[in-house]
Amino acid sequence: QDKKLTVIIPAAGMGHRMKSYGPKCLLPVDQRDTIITKIISNTKKAYPFSEIITVIGFEADKVIRILPDDTRVVENQLYETTNTVESLRLAINNSVYEHVLIIYGDLVFNVNAIKEITKIGSCALVDSNERFKDEEVGVTVVNDSVTNFSYGLETKWARVIYLEGKELEIFKTLCLDRRRNKMYPFELFNIILNRGGVIKAVEPKNMDIREINSLRDLQI
């Protein structure tokens, strides 16, 4: 990939359903990796020259200990009272490139899920095969573009989004407004769409991806 890419992994939250286990991103995926180290290694395989920023919060010291030395760390000290938008704001403030890939820190996925998605402009990874739970944020797709992010939709947003150009500029402006730090990112994506931004919907053929909400999700 020739694009200089900043990859942001928001992993500051507690994962309320799994509080007693510590940070959700530290759950083991296999004998070698935790969720967060697997995300980072797959990201490096897909985008070897990317700058990777992990945003941590809950039990930050535990997460820092296992992160590779060549990834950057930003701490969201307000993780208990803010939303993911605050984590993204902090990361955007620390990013150096004009192409940004956001990958939520509670996902397990294969390299195919993300490796081509920066080629088509701003886009969101979507899932029409019921890999995500009903209560997750969904998307309406018209002519291969997302027209709306909302709950209660059948096709799900797979919690990965790539932004560049106009869409990234609008997103940065929205993130930097601190009054929005309790909003959900998908609400900001809708504002981008309302302001004339275009976010393509992408569902790679050989994609394998799922969100981890409980230990049971890791055993599937």
Side-chain angles (χ1 to χ4, degrees):
Q1 283 291 332
D2 50 359
K3 283 178 183 169
K4 298 277 194 183
L5 183 66
T6 295
V7 179
I8 298 172
I9 306 168
M14 288 191 271
H16 294 291
R17 279 166 278 193
M18 307 178 74
K19 221 169 174 176
S20 55
Y21 295 106
K24 187 157 58 163
C25 65
L26 295 188
L27 289 172
V29 179
D30 51 39
Q31 284 164 338
R32 269 206 332 261
D33 278 305
T34 59
I35 293 174
I36 190 72
T37 56
K38 190 73 172 172
I39 290 173
I40 290 169
S41 68
N42 279 351
T43 300
K44 284 178 179 172
K45 285 173 190 164
Y47 302 103
F49 304 110
S50 59
E51 152 193 67
I52 298 175
I53 301 175
T54 306
V55 189
I56 58 175
F58 175 54
E59 298 191 358
D61 50 330
K62 286 186 181 172
V63 185
I64 283 175
R65 244 176 266 149
I66 64 131
L67 290 174
D69 293 339
D70 57 353
T71 61
R72 292 172 58 196
V73 176
V74 173
E75 189 170 351
N76 176 4
Q77 295 181 332
L78 304 175
Y79 71 90
E80 286 187 85
T81 56
T82 59
N83 215 308
T84 309
V85 167
E86 175 65 10
S87 292
L88 297 178
R89 181 185 75 78
L90 293 167
I92 293 266
N93 278 346
N94 283 278
S95 67
V96 294
Y97 299 136
E98 291 304 304
H99 302 88
V100 171
L101 178 62
I102 297 165
I103 301 173
Y104 273 57
D106 55 2
L107 295 173
V108 173
F109 56 87
N110 62 356
V111 178
N112 286 333
I114 62 167
K115 73 174 180 191
E116 298 290 321
I117 64 173
T118 61
K119 290 184 174 175
I120 59 166
S122 298
C123 62
L125 212 58
V126 303
D127 162 49
S128 61
N129 288 310
E130 298 182 357
R131 298 179 185 97
F132 285 76
K133 293 182 172 61
D134 282 346
E135 65 266 23
E136 297 300 339
V137 173
V139 289
T140 312
V141 180
V142 178
N143 297 332
D144 296 330
S145 290
V146 179
T147 56
N148 183 38
F149 289 81
S150 178
Y151 291 110
L153 299 171
E154 211 164 295
T155 298
K156 298 301 178 190
W157 172 45
R159 296 162 72 80
V160 173
I161 192 163
Y162 170 69
L163 299 170
E164 63 173 44
K166 176 181 181 176
E167 293 77 27
L168 181 59
E169 284 314 305
I170 299 170
F171 186 68
K172 281 182 176 177
T173 307
L174 295 172
C175 277
L176 297 181
D177 179 352
R178 282 174 177 244
R179 291 168 305 178
R180 299 186 190 274
N181 69 8
K182 289 187 170 64
M183 292 177 75
Y184 291 99
F186 81 88
E187 296 177 287
L188 301 193
F189 304 154
N190 281 334
I191 297 173
I192 293 172
L193 297 175
N194 291 338
R195 292 188 184 175
V198 176
I199 299 175
K200 294 279 186 191
V202 192
E203 188 167 11
K205 277 195 183 69
N206 301 319
M207 170 170 85
D208 180 19
I209 190 166
R210 66 184 190 274
E211 180 189 4
I212 304 304
N213 280 313
S214 67
L215 289 173
R216 202 172 67 241
D217 292 337
L218 283 165
Q219 284 144 20
I220 297 169

